[in-house]
Amino acid sequence: GQSWRMARTLLAEDGVFHATVEEFDRVFRAVAGWSVIAELERSEGDTRIDNTAVTQPAIFAVQIGLVARWRAWGIEPGLVVGHSFGEVAAAHTAGALSLEGAGAIIYHRGRLQDETQGAGTMAALAMPAAEVRAKLAALGEENVEIAADNGPQMVTLAGETTALHRFLAELQAADPDLFCRFLKVDYAPHSRKMEQFRDAFVGSLRGLRPRPPVVPMISTVWAEPVGDRLLDAAYWYANVRLPVRFQEALAAAVQHGFGAMVEMGPHATLSGIVATNLAALGKPRLVVPSLH
């Protein structure tokens, strides 16, 4: 949900938000050598916001700034769930990662994924995950994978570009009304394309010192509560490589009594998907996006 102008008014006018982003910027500059705030303040003609090495830390900064803003209003999370690299902000919010640790993860994650650009793409598809797996198996397609199981009728696919185009063309030939949309990325997270940087990524996080969460957190890698387990370097590689089990994680949240959810991000990217999942589970659609 990134855009070149995201959260710019908050950054300029809200002291709580600005102070939180500024603190992260200080930590991040020590690791990356460049400023997230400077990237957020670039003009539309000069923006690099769609470059994944910039996208991920920029969205992380917006996410933790929003958490601080909600908390300053007295709204505390009873539980957190993160989608893909959103798990880094979720883990920090839960107290499982220091700001320095989260900054290292989000920097190296974006940096290494940026090196895989041109190696694949992603698409959203309105189809149950089980049906997608069956169709991939029937076609013998090994170069396309489910990157995220987002809901009863929505998955994200990732894989080699030609193979993904071919697979979706096969599906649309059988059902011309089938919804599918390619995403604005030229790499393939949550697929075997990520295996090439496993050792480099885990090695770059050798100094990570995770802690048990203070706020309960449901992992979208495990699709169950984190509990007292530590989210170490191996976990964060799994977060890059394995599919996002978002639908199962939301079901686990509901089982723990949560039906009201606030989206922490620059746009209402997941709010509709969350509402659809809650409705399918028989829960009211009480979902609040922070920003549009």
Side-chain angles (χ1 to χ4, degrees):
Q2 75 274 9
S3 65
W4 70 271
R5 65 195 179 279
M6 64 182 184
R8 189 162 297 192
T9 303
L10 276 177
L11 192 61
E13 299 179 6
D14 188 282
V16 171
F17 184 91
H18 184 93
T20 303
V21 174
E22 190 172 50
E23 182 184 8
F24 172 63
D25 192 53
R26 175 184 56 78
V27 168
F28 187 77
R29 276 187 283 116
V31 177
W34 53 271
S35 167
V36 172
I37 289 179
E39 294 295 336
L40 288 171
E41 292 179 340
R42 282 178 182 258
S43 67
E44 184 174 12
D46 196 35
T47 186
R48 301 193 303 160
I49 201 64
D50 289 327
N51 180 318
T52 190
V54 175
T55 303
Q56 296 187 30
I59 288 183
F60 175 86
V62 171
Q63 288 175 315
I64 64 169
L66 289 171
V67 170
R69 178 63 270 172
W70 282 103
R71 280 178 157 164
W73 282 326
I75 307 299
E76 288 287 341
L79 176 144
V80 293
V81 180
H83 190 288
S84 190
F85 69 84
E87 277 210 318
V88 184
H92 175 63
T93 300
L97 292 174
S98 66
L99 192 59
E100 290 76 10
I105 293 168
I106 208 73
Y107 167 64
H108 291 296
R109 193 186 197 281
R111 173 182 66 84
L112 290 165
Q113 283 190 319
D114 188 50
E115 294 178 6
T116 70
Q117 289 203 0
T121 191
M122 304 183 77
L125 173 67
M127 187 176 288
E131 189 175 342
V132 174
R133 292 188 187 97
K135 290 183 180 298
L136 286 170
L139 293 170
E141 183 56 76
E142 298 181 349
N143 293 313
V144 175
E145 299 175 57
I146 293 177
D149 179 2
N150 289 322
Q153 290 281 342
M154 185 60 68
V155 298
T156 303
L157 303 177
E160 193 273 323
T161 303
T162 302
L164 185 51
H165 277 273
R166 181 174 60 241
F167 177 63
L168 293 179
E170 292 265 3
L171 297 183
Q172 288 191 304
D175 181 3
D177 295 326
L178 180 67
F179 171 85
C180 64
R181 178 181 298 161
F182 281 89
L183 308 185
K184 292 193 298 180
V185 297
D186 61 352
Y187 66 107
H190 309 291
S191 79
R192 61 177 56 89
K193 296 288 186 181
M194 300 294 99
E195 293 172 1
Q196 62 186 284
F197 67 69
R198 179 192 181 281
D199 292 343
F201 185 50
V202 172
S204 70
L205 300 179
R206 193 174 294 111
L208 192 66
R209 297 290 181 268
R211 306 173 294 229
V214 177
V215 176
M217 175 179 172
I218 294 178
S219 162
T220 48
V221 175
W222 301 328
E224 61 186 29
V226 172
D228 292 331
R229 287 174 286 187
L230 298 179
L231 303 180
D232 58 12
Y235 178 85
W236 293 109
Y237 170 70
N239 167 273
V240 173
R241 170 63 185 92
L242 298 180
V244 181
R245 298 167 66 181
F246 194 58
Q247 179 179 197
E248 294 172 84
L250 290 176
V254 168
Q255 288 174 359
H256 283 77
F258 290 88
M261 302 190 186
V262 183
E263 179 170 2
M264 299 294 160
H267 189 54
T269 307
L270 292 172
S271 291
I273 290 172
V274 173
T276 298
N277 276 278
L278 294 181
L281 293 165
K283 290 291 180 178
R285 299 185 181 199
L286 189 50
V287 184
V288 180
S290 292
L291 295 176
H292 288 278

PDB file of all heavy atoms in Angstrom, residues 109-125:
ATOM      1  N   ARG A 109      16.487  -7.618   4.910  1.00  0.00           N
ATOM      2  CA  ARG A 109      15.414  -8.248   4.143  1.00  0.00           C
ATOM      3  C   ARG A 109      15.188  -7.505   2.831  1.00  0.00           C
ATOM      4  O   ARG A 109      15.182  -8.097   1.748  1.00  0.00           O
ATOM      5  CB  ARG A 109      14.136  -8.254   4.988  1.00  0.00           C
ATOM      6  CG  ARG A 109      13.009  -9.137   4.472  1.00  0.00           C
ATOM      7  CD  ARG A 109      11.774  -8.917   5.347  1.00  0.00           C
ATOM      8  NE  ARG A 109      10.794  -9.964   5.191  1.00  0.00           N
ATOM      9  CZ  ARG A 109       9.932 -10.058   4.180  1.00  0.00           C
ATOM     10  NH1 ARG A 109       9.954  -9.166   3.204  1.00  0.00           N
ATOM     11  NH2 ARG A 109       9.043 -11.046   4.141  1.00  0.00           N
ATOM     12  N   GLY A 110      15.013  -6.180   2.928  1.00  0.00           N
ATOM     13  CA  GLY A 110      14.784  -5.392   1.727  1.00  0.00           C
ATOM     14  C   GLY A 110      15.988  -5.359   0.811  1.00  0.00           C
ATOM     15  O   GLY A 110      15.859  -5.447  -0.426  1.00  0.00           O
ATOM     16  N   ARG A 111      17.187  -5.236   1.400  1.00  0.00           N
ATOM     17  CA  ARG A 111      18.423  -5.174   0.608  1.00  0.00           C
ATOM     18  C   ARG A 111      18.627  -6.441  -0.207  1.00  0.00           C
ATOM     19  O   ARG A 111      18.932  -6.387  -1.413  1.00  0.00           O
ATOM     20  CB  ARG A 111      19.611  -4.963   1.555  1.00  0.00           C
ATOM     21  CG  ARG A 111      20.970  -5.041   0.891  1.00  0.00           C
ATOM     22  CD  ARG A 111      22.075  -4.866   1.916  1.00  0.00           C
ATOM     23  NE  ARG A 111      22.150  -5.954   2.879  1.00  0.00           N
ATOM     24  CZ  ARG A 111      22.791  -7.105   2.668  1.00  0.00           C
ATOM     25  NH1 ARG A 111      23.398  -7.323   1.496  1.00  0.00           N
ATOM     26  NH2 ARG A 111      22.833  -8.043   3.597  1.00  0.00           N
ATOM     27  N   LEU A 112      18.460  -7.593   0.417  1.00  0.00           N
ATOM     28  CA  LEU A 112      18.706  -8.850  -0.273  1.00  0.00           C
ATOM     29  C   LEU A 112      17.598  -9.177  -1.268  1.00  0.00           C
ATOM     30  O   LEU A 112      17.866  -9.712  -2.354  1.00  0.00           O
ATOM     31  CB  LEU A 112      18.879  -9.982   0.745  1.00  0.00           C
ATOM     32  CG  LEU A 112      20.181  -9.894   1.555  1.00  0.00           C
ATOM     33  CD1 LEU A 112      20.139 -10.804   2.771  1.00  0.00           C
ATOM     34  CD2 LEU A 112      21.381 -10.234   0.674  1.00  0.00           C
ATOM     35  N   GLN A 113      16.343  -8.855  -0.916  1.00  0.00           N
ATOM     36  CA  GLN A 113      15.274  -9.075  -1.886  1.00  0.00           C
ATOM     37  C   GLN A 113      15.457  -8.182  -3.112  1.00  0.00           C
ATOM     38  O   GLN A 113      15.135  -8.581  -4.236  1.00  0.00           O
ATOM     39  CB  GLN A 113      13.908  -8.824  -1.239  1.00  0.00           C
ATOM     40  CG  GLN A 113      13.464  -9.971  -0.350  1.00  0.00           C
ATOM     41  CD  GLN A 113      12.023  -9.840   0.090  1.00  0.00           C
ATOM     42  OE1 GLN A 113      11.566  -8.757   0.424  1.00  0.00           O
ATOM     43  NE2 GLN A 113      11.309 -10.944   0.113  1.00  0.00           N
ATOM     44  N   ASP A 114      15.986  -6.996  -2.890  1.00  0.00           N
ATOM     45  CA  ASP A 114      16.229  -6.086  -4.004  1.00  0.00           C
ATOM     46  C   ASP A 114      17.206  -6.706  -5.008  1.00  0.00           C
ATOM     47  O   ASP A 114      17.106  -6.470  -6.214  1.00  0.00           O
ATOM     48  CB  ASP A 114      16.779  -4.759  -3.474  1.00  0.00           C
ATOM     49  CG  ASP A 114      16.867  -3.693  -4.550  1.00  0.00           C
ATOM     50  OD1 ASP A 114      15.866  -3.483  -5.256  1.00  0.00           O
ATOM     51  OD2 ASP A 114      17.927  -3.073  -4.688  1.00  0.00           O
ATOM     52  N   GLU A 115      18.134  -7.528  -4.522  1.00  0.00           N
ATOM     53  CA  GLU A 115      19.097  -8.182  -5.403  1.00  0.00           C
ATOM     54  C   GLU A 115      18.458  -9.241  -6.287  1.00  0.00           C
ATOM     55  O   GLU A 115      19.054  -9.686  -7.268  1.00  0.00           O
ATOM     56  CB  GLU A 115      20.221  -8.797  -4.576  1.00  0.00           C
ATOM     57  CG  GLU A 115      21.089  -7.765  -3.859  1.00  0.00           C
ATOM     58  CD  GLU A 115      22.169  -8.408  -3.007  1.00  0.00           C
ATOM     59  OE1 GLU A 115      22.324  -9.661  -3.063  1.00  0.00           O
ATOM     60  OE2 GLU A 115      22.866  -7.669  -2.285  1.00  0.00           O
ATOM     61  N   THR A 116      17.230  -9.677  -5.936  1.00  0.00           N
ATOM     62  CA  THR A 116      16.542 -10.694  -6.737  1.00  0.00           C
ATOM     63  C   THR A 116      15.572 -10.072  -7.739  1.00  0.00           C
ATOM     64  O   THR A 116      14.840 -10.800  -8.418  1.00  0.00           O
ATOM     65  CB  THR A 116      15.767 -11.682  -5.842  1.00  0.00           C
ATOM     66  OG1 THR A 116      14.631 -11.013  -5.259  1.00  0.00           O
ATOM     67  CG2 THR A 116      16.640 -12.237  -4.736  1.00  0.00           C
ATOM     68  N   GLN A 117      15.539  -8.749  -7.835  1.00  0.00           N
ATOM     69  CA  GLN A 117      14.619  -8.112  -8.778  1.00  0.00           C
ATOM     70  C   GLN A 117      14.904  -8.583 -10.201  1.00  0.00           C
ATOM     71  O   GLN A 117      16.045  -8.777 -10.597  1.00  0.00           O
ATOM     72  CB  GLN A 117      14.718  -6.590  -8.673  1.00  0.00           C
ATOM     73  CG  GLN A 117      14.131  -6.065  -7.377  1.00  0.00           C
ATOM     74  CD  GLN A 117      13.701  -4.616  -7.475  1.00  0.00           C
ATOM     75  OE1 GLN A 117      13.837  -3.977  -8.504  1.00  0.00           O
ATOM     76  NE2 GLN A 117      13.167  -4.090  -6.389  1.00  0.00           N
ATOM     77  N   GLY A 118      13.809  -8.769 -10.931  1.00  0.00           N
ATOM     78  CA  GLY A 118      13.904  -9.304 -12.285  1.00  0.00           C
ATOM     79  C   GLY A 118      13.808 -10.809 -12.327  1.00  0.00           C
ATOM     80  O   GLY A 118      13.769 -11.400 -13.410  1.00  0.00           O
ATOM     81  N   ALA A 119      13.726 -11.432 -11.142  1.00  0.00           N
ATOM     82  CA  ALA A 119      13.718 -12.899 -11.079  1.00  0.00           C
ATOM     83  C   ALA A 119      12.327 -13.485 -10.907  1.00  0.00           C
ATOM     84  O   ALA A 119      12.178 -14.682 -10.703  1.00  0.00           O
ATOM     85  CB  ALA A 119      14.614 -13.381  -9.934  1.00  0.00           C
ATOM     86  N   GLY A 120      11.281 -12.663 -10.985  1.00  0.00           N
ATOM     87  CA  GLY A 120       9.934 -13.196 -10.814  1.00  0.00           C
ATOM     88  C   GLY A 120       8.922 -12.094 -10.643  1.00  0.00           C
ATOM     89  O   GLY A 120       9.219 -10.912 -10.802  1.00  0.00           O
ATOM     90  N   THR A 121       7.697 -12.485 -10.289  1.00  0.00           N
ATOM     91  CA  THR A 121       6.641 -11.511 -10.051  1.00  0.00           C
ATOM     92  C   THR A 121       5.567 -12.141  -9.167  1.00  0.00           C
ATOM     93  O   THR A 121       5.699 -13.294  -8.732  1.00  0.00           O
ATOM     94  CB  THR A 121       6.034 -11.007 -11.375  1.00  0.00           C
ATOM     95  OG1 THR A 121       5.203  -9.881 -11.123  1.00  0.00           O
ATOM     96  CG2 THR A 121       5.220 -12.095 -12.068  1.00  0.00           C
ATOM     97  N   MET A 122       4.508 -11.369  -8.895  1.00  0.00           N
ATOM     98  CA  MET A 122       3.430 -11.829  -8.012  1.00  0.00           C
ATOM     99  C   MET A 122       2.081 -11.441  -8.616  1.00  0.00           C
ATOM    100  O   MET A 122       1.987 -10.507  -9.420  1.00  0.00           O
ATOM    101  CB  MET A 122       3.557 -11.195  -6.621  1.00  0.00           C
ATOM    102  CG  MET A 122       4.881 -11.424  -5.942  1.00  0.00           C
ATOM    103  SD  MET A 122       4.913 -10.713  -4.273  1.00  0.00           S
ATOM    104  CE  MET A 122       3.950 -11.944  -3.369  1.00  0.00           C
ATOM    105  N   ALA A 123       1.041 -12.146  -8.177  1.00  0.00           N
ATOM    106  CA  ALA A 123      -0.315 -11.820  -8.618  1.00  0.00           C
ATOM    107  C   ALA A 123      -1.309 -12.216  -7.537  1.00  0.00           C
ATOM    108  O   ALA A 123      -1.102 -13.183  -6.805  1.00  0.00           O
ATOM    109  CB  ALA A 123      -0.650 -12.556  -9.918  1.00  0.00           C
ATOM    110  N   ALA A 124      -2.386 -11.444  -7.441  1.00  0.00           N
ATOM    111  CA  ALA A 124      -3.504 -11.782  -6.558  1.00  0.00           C
ATOM    112  C   ALA A 124      -4.524 -12.561  -7.370  1.00  0.00           C
ATOM    113  O   ALA A 124      -4.806 -12.229  -8.533  1.00  0.00           O
ATOM    114  CB  ALA A 124      -4.122 -10.519  -5.989  1.00  0.00           C
ATOM    115  N   LEU A 125      -5.096 -13.598  -6.757  1.00  0.00           N
ATOM    116  CA  LEU A 125      -6.027 -14.485  -7.451  1.00  0.00           C
ATOM    117  C   LEU A 125      -7.199 -14.815  -6.541  1.00  0.00           C
ATOM    118  O   LEU A 125      -6.989 -15.213  -5.386  1.00  0.00           O
ATOM    119  CB  LEU A 125      -5.305 -15.765  -7.881  1.00  0.00           C
ATOM    120  CG  LEU A 125      -6.155 -16.887  -8.487  1.00  0.00           C
ATOM    121  CD1 LEU A 125      -6.729 -16.448  -9.836  1.00  0.00           C
ATOM    122  CD2 LEU A 125      -5.323 -18.155  -8.648  1.00  0.00           C
TER     123      LEU A 125
END
